[in-house]
Amino acid sequence: MSSHQENTIMSKWRGGALAFLLAVGMPIAAFAQNAIQSINSSQQGSSDVVRIELSEPLAAVPAGFTIQTPPRIAIDLPGVSNALGRSSVELNQGNLRSVNVAQAGDRVRLVLNLKQAANYKATVQGKTLLLAIESSGPPPAAATPTEQPVRFAESLNTNPLALKDIDFRRGNDGAGRVVVELANNQVGVDIRQQGQSLVVEFLRSTLPDNLRKKFDVTDFGTPVQTITTSQQGDRVRMMVEPRGSWEHSAYQSDNQFVLEVRPQKVDPNKLTQGPGYAGEKLSLNFQNIEVRALLQVIADFTNFNVVTSDTVTGNVTLRLKDVPWDQALDIILQAKGLGLRKSGNVIWIAPKDELAAKEKADLEAKQQITSLEPLRTQSFQLNYAKAEDVAKGLTGQSSGGGSGSGTRILSQRGSVIFETRTNQLFVSDVPSKLEEIQSMISKIDVPVRQVLIEARIVVADDSFSRSLGVKLGATDLRGLRGGVPGWSVGGDNRVSIGGNLNAIGAQTRQTTATNVTFSDAQFVNLPAIGQGGYDPATFAISLFGANSNRFLNLEISAAEADGKGKVVSSPRVVTADQQKALIEQGTELPYQVATSSGATSLQFRKANLKLEVTPQITPEGGVILDVDVNKDSVGQATAAGFAIDTKHIKTQVLVENGGTVVIGGIFEQSDRTDVAKVPVLGDIPVLGNLFKTTTKSSERTELLIFLTPKVVTDRVVAR
């Protein structure tokens, strides 16, 4: 090959190489040719203007968004690099603090740090990007809870009235309820949150001396720790000190005001805890932006790291202004059918189906590990619970030993053996289950609180009776003395007279006849009825003429009885929480019962005093009692045996610790008036009392049953 040909080939090769290098290098030069040269600021009227000098003009006005707290403005410049040599520019002019320049791939983000939130307007003038930040007046002073309380109820009272009572209770959901008994339903109430405390003020109210104190309610297991009440001028101030994450609500029912403080439910996948959305507010205005890029925008202004699955694709167009960032993220996820899982400050975003499949795979993997993991055996010493009962609970059996509807706590490979003599459990299972069982036993094997139940059964009776009666008769003895024969009224009760004449049975008369009889007649015989087991008292008189031949006999009888009695029975029993207790005392009465063969057998029936009760201690410290009380006594005798007088009550009642409640009572009153009289004659005013007998009776019986439960402590024993 000649040198001329060689030079020609080399020239062609150099030209091709140069063309190749130019073709490859031009995109790189085009990509790197636009860069930020300088950033400065100035004030124009009431606005702050930021000038960003670029090496090349921008094709369009860049997009951006604002953040309220902390106040920021973010501008994205695609295809622009940072040629400043630093990532931060201090301005400190007007509302501006500084500008941060962040390089991310093929774009630059400018973050303008402001002193207070403001809007902006972006314009492009050649190679300069102008950001005009609107100046706003001084920010309004943040209203502190003390300055702007929430008026719960208006005060309609003219004069201050005293609060009646303050009580604290625990709700089923672990909420603490402060119950205040108001003087009436016109008391004004203000509620405000002061730091981590709640302040409740009752307007135009006074506080009794017994309520001016600090209530320690830590033992109730609610967010509320202490309640402090004090008098502040013409109002009562109540300071409620909760702990942890909580939320409150209040309501009033007639004269009762209730403040409820509930623990906040923590959702591990919720970005900000509490009701609704509580993230920093931002504004977004994008047209057809990729979802992955939009998620990166949100991640840059939060404390979370975002991991986006490769299956997240698509574009979205949105315009949001002053929206919490967690709500904006929720809107984006719902629009694209995505879900998230949070672990610490890392958020994993993927399609919902992918998340569900991942969780299912994790659970299946755990189940496989459990089925292959070697077993361990661990012993548990129980101090208060019975090992047999706990063992049956672990295997899902009922306490009676049969197969119950309980859930098996042990794994399918697990087993348990209980030792009654030493009260121990020997459990064989995987280590994770053993830890779960250990935690469960620590909560089960605790001493059970005991309750002392005192009952007083009072039976009181009051009886009164009165009876008045008369006997009236007359006798004529003229026929016995030789005169005109006399007359006789009533029955003929003849008395033989020999020497002495007994006219009434108490009076003796001398007569000349040797053997005569006379009629001792009683034409009204209505004597009084005996009372209280005693005969009535009597008073008798006889009226006769001058010659002692005619007699009028009158006998008055009367009786009155008054009786009062009271029987007090006081059974007392101690039992464990939710354990039935029975105490009884009485008599067993025998009676005969015929059998099928015709023979008779002897059986017994109880006439006794019985108290059967099952207590349940509530979280608030009260006691729920299932009560069955009998007060039987031996009644009257019958042909088949003695009857039994029964008094019985069965009920359920809630009583505060140490309080007394009347669970029942029976009141009986019987009034009766009986009159026996001679017709017509007994109806004559005043004089008619000689022709009748009157009996009046009144009887009252009252039964009352009192119950007093007391939670037994180490210092309290049954007396």
Side-chain angles (χ1 to χ4, degrees), residues 168-178 217-225 242-248 259-265 619-620:
F168 185 82
R169 303 170 186 173
R170 186 181 189 275
N172 296 330
D173 55 351
R177 295 176 182 170
V178 184
V217 293
T218 308
D219 294 340
F220 284 84
T222 69
V224 181
Q225 303 299 299
R243 181 183 62 182
S245 299
W246 51 270
E247 56 187 5
H248 74 280
L259 174 66
E260 186 173 282
V261 181
R262 300 178 300 275
Q264 281 188 352
K265 296 181 180 179
E620 295 85 357

Side-chain angles (χ1 to χ4, degrees), residues 502-524:
N502 191 345
I504 306 300
Q507 301 290 335
T508 304
R509 297 290 181 182
Q510 187 71 30
T511 181
T512 57
T514 304
N515 188 9
V516 298
T517 62
F518 74 95
S519 176
D520 185 12
Q522 295 177 352
F523 56 84
V524 177

Side-chain angles (χ1 to χ4, degrees), residues 397-666:
Q397 297 179 348
S398 63
S399 60
S403 178
S405 58
T407 303
R408 179 183 175 90
I409 299 177
L410 297 174
S411 65
Q412 296 299 324
R413 301 168 57 203
S415 61
V416 59
I417 299 175
F418 62 89
E419 170 58 40
T420 306
R421 183 175 57 87
T422 59
N423 202 33
Q424 290 188 81
L425 285 178
F426 299 91
V427 183
S428 297
D429 214 324
V430 295
S432 60
K433 276 294 180 182
L434 292 177
E435 294 178 1
E436 182 181 343
I437 294 171
Q438 176 70 53
S439 176
M440 185 193 70
I441 289 179
S442 65
K443 298 178 181 179
I444 294 177
D445 190 30
V446 294
V448 180
R449 289 183 292 177
Q450 299 184 95
V451 182
L452 169 65
I453 300 101
E454 296 180 272
R456 277 183 171 82
I457 305 170
V458 181
V459 181
D461 60 80
D462 186 358
S463 61
F464 174 81
S465 58
R466 174 186 294 168
S467 181
L468 297 174
V470 296
K471 289 183 180 180
L472 185 61
T475 304
D476 188 352
L477 299 180
R478 288 178 295 174
L480 299 177
R481 296 178 180 271
V484 179
W487 41 264
S488 177
V489 180
D492 189 8
N493 297 329
R494 295 189 176 274
V495 179
S496 177
I497 300 177
N500 291 331
L501 177 63
N502 191 345
I504 306 300
Q507 301 290 335
T508 304
R509 297 290 181 182
Q510 187 71 30
T511 181
T512 57
T514 304
N515 188 9
V516 298
T517 62
F518 74 95
S519 176
D520 185 12
Q522 295 177 352
F523 56 84
V524 177
N525 187 8
L526 297 173
I529 301 174
Q531 303 294 327
Y534 294 92
D535 294 333
T538 60
F539 176 75
I541 59 175
S542 296
L543 301 177
F544 49 88
N547 53 5
S548 301
N549 291 329
R550 287 171 290 184
F551 295 88
L552 179 64
N553 307 322
L554 176 63
E555 180 179 313
I556 300 175
S557 58
E560 181 176 304
D562 189 2
K564 294 183 179 180
K566 182 172 68 174
V567 178
V568 179
S569 305
S570 182
R572 182 181 305 160
V573 65
V574 178
T575 182
D577 185 22
Q578 301 188 38
Q579 295 294 322
K580 181 184 293 186
L582 173 65
I583 184 172
E584 61 180 348
Q585 177 186 11
T587 305
E588 290 192 357
L589 301 177
Y591 64 97
Q592 291 184 345
V593 178
T595 62
S596 58
S597 62
T600 59
S601 62
L602 188 64
Q603 295 186 3
F604 292 87
R605 183 183 176 186
K606 294 181 179 180
N608 59 359
L609 168 66
K610 183 183 74 171
L611 172 62
E612 182 178 314
V613 60
T614 304
Q616 178 184 347
I617 303 175
T618 65
E620 295 85 357
V623 183
I624 299 175
L625 299 175
D626 288 319
V627 187
D628 191 352
V629 180
N630 273 83
K631 180 64 174 71
D632 299 341
S633 58
V634 179
Q636 62 184 358
T638 64
F642 286 97
I644 296 178
D645 298 332
T646 301
K647 299 177 180 65
H648 181 210
I649 184 171
K650 183 176 183 180
T651 185
Q652 183 184 80
V653 65
L654 173 61
V655 192
E656 63 181 0
N657 182 23
T660 301
V661 63
V662 180
I663 64 172
I666 300 174

